[in-house]
């Protein structure tokens, strides 16, 4: 089962978090990541963040990345959204 942990941080405090599980292995890993991110954004009532090159590199190396204000079109009221793969 693929599981991704989404966390919202503000002032070094965890404000909200959720874990998304996907068991459909007919999807590629990339599709699972994007589907998980979409579900996390729906739960947190956020627009989809934009993946910058730095996010892609961080995610490829560490299975973890952070989306700050630079990644969102709209104004956000937190410091960053962190995504982390916790199980594959």
């Amino acid at each position: 089962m693929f599981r991704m942990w989404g966390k919202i941080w503000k002032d070094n405090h965890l404000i909200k978090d959720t874990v998304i599980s996907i068991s459909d292995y007919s999807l590629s890993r990339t599709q699972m990541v994007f589907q998980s991110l979409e579900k996390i954004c729906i739960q947190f009532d956020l627009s989809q963040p934009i993946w910058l090159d730095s996010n892609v590199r961080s995610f490829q190396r560490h299975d973890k990345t952070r989306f700050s204000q630079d990644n969102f079109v709209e104004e956000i009221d937190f410091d960053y959204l962190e995504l982390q793969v916790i199980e594959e």
Side-chain angles (χ1 to χ4, degrees):
M1 180 178 310
F2 180 87
R3 292 178 15 171
M4 181 174 284
W5 190 10
K7 301 174 268 190
I8 290 183
W9 293 87
K10 184 172 183 172
D11 299 327
N12 291 326
H13 289 92
L14 181 64
I15 304 299
K16 295 181 190 175
D17 73 322
T18 187
V19 175
I20 302 298
S21 301
I22 297 178
S23 57
D24 181 5
Y25 282 101
S26 66
L27 300 174
S28 69
R29 183 177 193 266
T30 303
Q31 289 171 322
M32 287 189 229
V33 168
F34 286 127
Q35 193 175 79
S36 298
L37 176 58
E38 182 180 346
K39 289 179 180 182
I40 288 168
C41 288
I42 289 170
Q43 281 190 18
F44 293 157
D45 193 28
L46 296 173
S47 64
Q48 290 277 341
I50 299 166
W51 285 79
L52 302 175
D53 290 339
S54 59
N55 298 106
V56 173
R57 282 192 304 272
S58 171
F59 197 79
Q60 287 172 338
R61 287 187 189 127
H62 309 292
D63 284 341
K64 183 178 184 177
T65 192
R66 292 179 176 178
F67 296 105
S68 62
Q69 180 62 60
D70 294 341
N71 301 93
F72 290 92
V73 175
E74 63 186 26
E75 192 71 27
I76 58 173
D77 62 346
F78 53 87
D79 294 335
Y80 57 88
L81 167 66
E82 184 175 87
L83 295 182
Q84 181 177 4
V85 175
I86 54 177
E87 184 180 347
E88 285 194 65

